[in-house]
Amino acid sequence: MIRITDILDKVQRYVEPADLEMIEKAYIYSAAVHQGQLRLSGEPYMTHPMEVANMLADMHMDAASIATGILHDTVEDTLASLEEIEKAFGQDVAFLVDGLTKISKITLASQEERQAENFRKMILAMSSDIRIILVRLADRLHNMRTLQYQAQDKQKYIARETLDLYAPLTSRLGINWMKTELEDLAFMHLHPVEFQDLARRIAMKREGREKYTKEIREIIEKEIQNYDLKGEVEGRAKHYFSIYQKMQEQQIDFDEVYDLLAFRIILDSNKVKECYEALSVVHALWKPVPGRFKDYIAMPKANNYRSLHTTVIGPYGERVEIQIRTREMHVWAESGIAAHWRYKEGDLLRGRDEEQIRKLRDLLEVQQDLKDPREFMRNLKVALFPDEVYVFTPKGEVRAFPKGATPIDFAYSIHTDVGNQCIGGRVNRNLVPLKYELRNGDTVEIVTQTGHHPSKDWLKYAVTPRAISKIKAWIKTEERNHSIALGRDILDKEFKKHHMKFAQVLKSDELKKVCEEQSVTDIDDVMALIGYGKVSARAIVNRFLPGEEKREDSLPEKILKKFKKPESAGISITGIDDIMVKFAKCCNPLPGDEVIGHISRGRGMIVHTTNCPMVHDLDPERLLEVQWNVRDKQTYPVHTRVVCHDKKGLLAELSASISLLDINISHATVDTTPDKIAVCEFDLEVRDLKHFNEVVSALKKLKSVISVERVRVSDVKTDKKKMH
């Protein structure tokens, strides 16, 4: 266990004596309130905050951050209050602790909603003080290091959240060492079989790799010295997750990954021109691979990462990736925004620090109006992904966009009105359609037309959270206006059936009660709910009828039965009964999946998995929380793709493993590639997610199997189009 003296020894080199006293006082306080608490590993709870504080000390964070690391769980997990923290340690520490305290005492409808609110709070606080996210990341890293003590399902959830959100966030902040460790730990828990296999294969090649690394390093060191360039050369194997990603993206085996090694030339001088001199030395040594040179010095990444990247054909015909940077660039590349604290005295990185905070504020700004937690989390994930293209404005300013961005994204980055009235773009002076994907180096100019408006089709081409949220906001406003008009028309006709005038009841107390019951502020909101189909006009009119005229429903019984929810649907809907339920064919939900219901127009409710891409385009106003409620034994279809090494009797071997688990195969196809890889597609009938996971585990144990994955129908169609 880390001791307080270990932490104090590290920080005494750069903090004042009074700050040392505060850190020690925080330790004494935290130890007292956490006394008797144990972690799931059986260790005293204090091991966790001490590990977090130790990481922050290694990052050279200030005393308030380290004290916060020690105190970060006190308000959430003990009887300590924020007022006590402020009284004992001051406003600065209290503010940081408050920003780190999760929203755990508020009742929220779903785990996803809780996750969204926690992230919303964290980003809000972070935009005021970047130290909050640095403490949170250290907290998450230590939790990932001890994740094996959690239950299996919680391991998967936390690992997935880490890979989707925390690792991209560290990348956005430029903290590379933390990003790689978070990715590898998440990979280990999400895909344990693949992780162990990869670790074993890399270990088998370690001796030869170390010898090869030494040889390359010595060649580069000798050559740059010949040109009077001073610096050091590092050689390392790429981390597990990056290798796994490459294998998945390119559909290749481990033995086909040629650039397992990466080298860095770190120059002592901070002169940028020496980086280009070192590049010319490398290219004189070995032939560069076309298309693999990237200049992140002239055009830095969004997280201010700067380096030259090149790939060359090194000794023995092996591909070698080489990065070239100055010492200052290297500090930023590894520590990112945390490096600011190391240079606090000289203020060398202050400008970049403020730039990062500004970008995070911009990221938050477009999220403010998103009430739907799924949409918030989805936009957040998109915003954090690092792949970017760099384009120019007509004035020569550089702007960064996610890969796949279009003129629509560019237009909304200028102003909402420019985006809304955009009809096309000029790229490099040539007119292009709105769906054109921007490329590095493009010069982009937007063409607008007064009175032009966005359409739903734009959502197919927009990729930035800002553009997507602005388009959806416009469409939502238009749909709401349409729904209000439709709802008013429906209600007016319903009143006329009973010889009543809607205008006469508009200001009645009964209508005000309806607004209160539906938790809305005015009659337009009620009209919108009727237009959306969430509230029955008949139910509202019933409230104004004499007792003998009231009725539950006027539809004939046989029509009602048609729309009743079948008993075997296995889905329960909060607050709604007797509605027809269908399962979406695009994602084929299984019991155990997180699901969401969508009220369709005339087809009842369609149930999707929450991560189904189709949900992204659905109107949030028509989405409902649903839960599984399976009583009867039934099976559900699931499309499965198994990639294997081709051999005789392969299909029989796979079918036998599937049949042993009492699973029916309703359809099967096999495609083989010239390099003896077989891609087998199965339509299986399983009871639930657990049943499906059993067949996945059984198939992965077969020697010939490379990978097994569940595939959405939409993905299958896309893949077939690509093949043709």
Side-chain angles (χ1 to χ4, degrees), residues 93-200:
V93 173
F95 173 77
L96 297 178
V97 171
D98 183 38
L100 288 155
T101 302
K102 293 178 185 171
I103 299 171
S104 53
K105 296 180 175 68
I106 302 172
T107 303
L108 295 168
S110 67
Q111 189 177 36
E112 193 161 22
E113 193 174 343
R114 186 183 303 281
Q115 183 193 47
E117 289 310 312
N118 279 327
F119 261 88
R120 202 189 294 269
K121 178 185 177 184
M122 186 174 71
I123 294 174
L124 266 169
M126 174 179 67
S127 66
S128 301
D129 197 321
I130 201 70
R131 292 174 296 176
I132 287 170
I133 193 60
L134 297 174
V135 180
R136 173 60 74 214
L137 290 171
D139 170 51
R140 174 53 61 115
L141 180 53
H142 185 249
N143 282 332
M144 285 299 294
R145 287 174 179 174
T146 55
L147 193 59
Q148 68 271 26
Y149 298 107
Q150 293 281 1
Q152 196 75 27
D153 59 337
K154 203 160 185 184
Q155 284 184 30
K156 299 283 186 189
Y157 175 82
I158 294 170
R160 173 51 59 191
E161 182 184 59
T162 299
L163 199 57
D164 287 350
L165 294 163
Y166 284 95
L169 190 52
T170 55
S171 176
R172 191 70 185 248
L173 297 172
I175 313 172
N176 187 58
W177 69 269
M178 190 178 281
K179 168 186 172 281
T180 55
E181 188 174 353
L182 284 173
E183 285 180 340
D184 281 350
L185 289 167
F187 171 38
M188 181 173 71
H189 289 283
L190 287 170
H191 305 285
V193 176
E194 290 87 344
F195 179 86
Q196 293 299 336
D197 181 54
L198 198 56
R200 178 182 57 80

Side-chain angles (χ1 to χ4, degrees), residues 265-282:
I265 301 173
I266 304 166
L267 299 164
D268 293 339
S269 167
N270 282 326
K271 293 177 181 175
V272 170
K273 72 182 184 73
E274 290 197 5
C275 294
Y276 293 97
E277 288 172 14
L279 176 71
S280 65
V281 171
V282 170

Side-chain angles (χ1 to χ4, degrees), residues 639 641-647 650-651 654 667-682 716 719-720 723-724:
H639 194 87
R641 178 178 295 151
V642 187
V643 180
C644 319
H645 296 291
D646 194 18
K647 66 173 188 177
L650 174 65
L651 192 57
L654 296 175
H667 185 259
T669 60
V670 180
D671 285 315
T672 55
T673 63
D675 53 350
K676 297 291 184 182
I677 297 294
V679 180
C680 309
E681 308 268 354
F682 294 103
V716 176
D719 290 347
K720 284 182 179 175
M723 288 172 70
H724 290 96

Side-chain angles (χ1 to χ4, degrees), residues 433-605:
L434 292 177
K435 64 182 180 181
Y436 171 85
E437 290 192 7
L438 302 178
R439 297 170 189 164
N440 276 323
D442 280 346
T443 298
V444 186
E445 187 179 353
I446 299 302
V447 181
T448 60
Q449 181 179 306
T450 305
H452 191 71
H453 299 301
S455 75
K456 274 189 175 179
D457 286 341
W458 287 18
L459 292 171
K460 297 175 187 174
Y461 312 127
V463 299
T464 60
R466 179 180 176 82
I468 291 167
S469 67
K470 296 297 181 185
I471 295 165
K472 284 189 172 181
W474 193 90
I475 292 168
K476 188 176 178 180
T477 301
E478 286 298 296
E479 286 195 348
R480 175 178 159 76
N481 292 337
H482 175 73
S483 293
I484 289 171
L486 181 63
R488 190 178 291 271
D489 187 48
I490 292 168
L491 194 58
D492 188 42
K493 286 177 181 176
E494 195 62 38
F495 271 113
K496 282 178 180 176
K497 284 182 188 177
H498 299 281
H499 311 290
M500 297 175 71
K501 289 186 178 179
F502 176 43
Q504 292 174 348
V505 299
L506 260 176
K507 295 181 181 179
S508 67
D509 291 338
E510 194 62 37
L511 210 53
K512 288 176 184 175
K513 285 182 185 176
V514 172
C515 292
E516 288 172 11
E517 288 168 10
Q518 296 297 329
S519 302
V520 296
T521 54
D522 57 36
I523 190 63
D524 277 353
D525 291 333
V526 176
M527 297 301 103
L529 290 173
I530 295 170
Y532 282 126
K534 288 191 171 184
V535 172
S536 164
R538 191 175 296 112
I540 292 174
V541 172
N542 275 353
R543 302 177 71 139
F544 295 90
L545 298 176
E548 63 273 11
E549 286 188 48
K550 289 187 180 182
R551 53 193 173 163
E552 288 300 313
D553 216 302
S554 61
L555 288 176
E557 190 177 344
K558 66 178 183 179
I559 295 178
L560 260 180
K561 281 180 180 175
K562 180 184 174 185
F563 284 92
K564 286 210 172 189
K565 181 178 62 175
E567 290 297 319
S568 61
I571 289 288
S572 61
I573 309 153
T574 309
I576 298 179
D577 293 315
D578 297 334
I579 186 170
M580 183 169 63
V581 174
K582 291 181 179 179
F583 293 100
K585 290 181 180 178
C586 50
C587 54
N588 286 334
L590 299 177
D593 283 329
E594 288 190 29
V595 286
I596 187 79
H598 174 247
I599 301 174
S600 64
R601 298 182 190 274
R603 292 188 297 142
M605 188 181 70

Side-chain angles (χ1 to χ4, degrees), residues 245-411:
Q245 268 187 314
K246 177 167 280 192
M247 289 166 63
Q248 293 297 303
E249 287 168 6
Q250 299 180 13
Q251 288 289 298
I252 57 176
D253 191 47
F254 175 76
D255 294 326
E256 297 172 87
V257 181
Y258 297 115
D259 49 349
L260 284 173
L261 294 174
F263 291 84
R264 288 192 195 119
I265 301 173
I266 304 166
L267 299 164
D268 293 339
S269 167
N270 282 326
K271 293 177 181 175
V272 170
K273 72 182 184 73
E274 290 197 5
C275 294
Y276 293 97
E277 288 172 14
L279 176 71
S280 65
V281 171
V282 170
H283 283 179
L285 270 173
W286 299 299
K287 188 176 181 180
V289 177
R292 293 300 301 271
F293 170 66
K294 292 177 183 175
D295 188 342
Y296 293 119
I297 293 178
M299 301 180 79
K301 289 187 180 182
N303 61 9
N304 288 315
Y305 171 89
R306 294 184 300 159
S307 273
L308 298 178
H309 286 203
T310 186
T311 301
V312 297
I313 306 296
Y316 317 112
E318 294 281 346
R319 286 190 176 200
V320 180
E321 184 184 304
I322 300 172
Q323 301 168 0
I324 304 167
R325 59 180 72 142
T326 66
R327 182 73 57 188
E328 183 190 328
M329 291 175 194
H330 180 65
V331 171
W332 184 269
E334 288 302 295
S335 302
I337 208 162
H340 161 66
W341 301 100
R342 299 190 191 185
Y343 289 85
K344 203 168 183 182
E345 295 297 318
D347 215 24
L348 294 179
L349 303 177
R350 184 69 185 173
R352 290 184 211 148
D353 186 22
E354 289 173 347
E355 175 70 6
Q356 285 298 86
I357 293 170
R358 184 192 64 75
K359 286 178 180 177
L360 290 165
R361 283 199 184 109
D362 290 346
L363 171 64
L364 178 68
E365 184 185 306
V366 300
Q367 314 284 10
Q368 293 284 37
D369 299 328
L370 299 178
K371 293 175 184 175
D372 178 32
R374 285 172 198 81
E375 196 172 358
F376 172 80
M377 295 308 292
R378 190 163 49 238
N379 281 8
L380 184 61
K381 289 174 188 176
V382 170
L384 291 174
F385 270 92
D387 285 342
E388 294 183 323
V389 292
Y390 300 89
V391 299
F392 296 96
T393 68
K395 292 182 179 179
E397 297 170 6
V398 178
R399 295 204 176 190
F401 291 92
K403 203 170 182 179
T406 63
I408 295 172
D409 299 295
F410 189 95

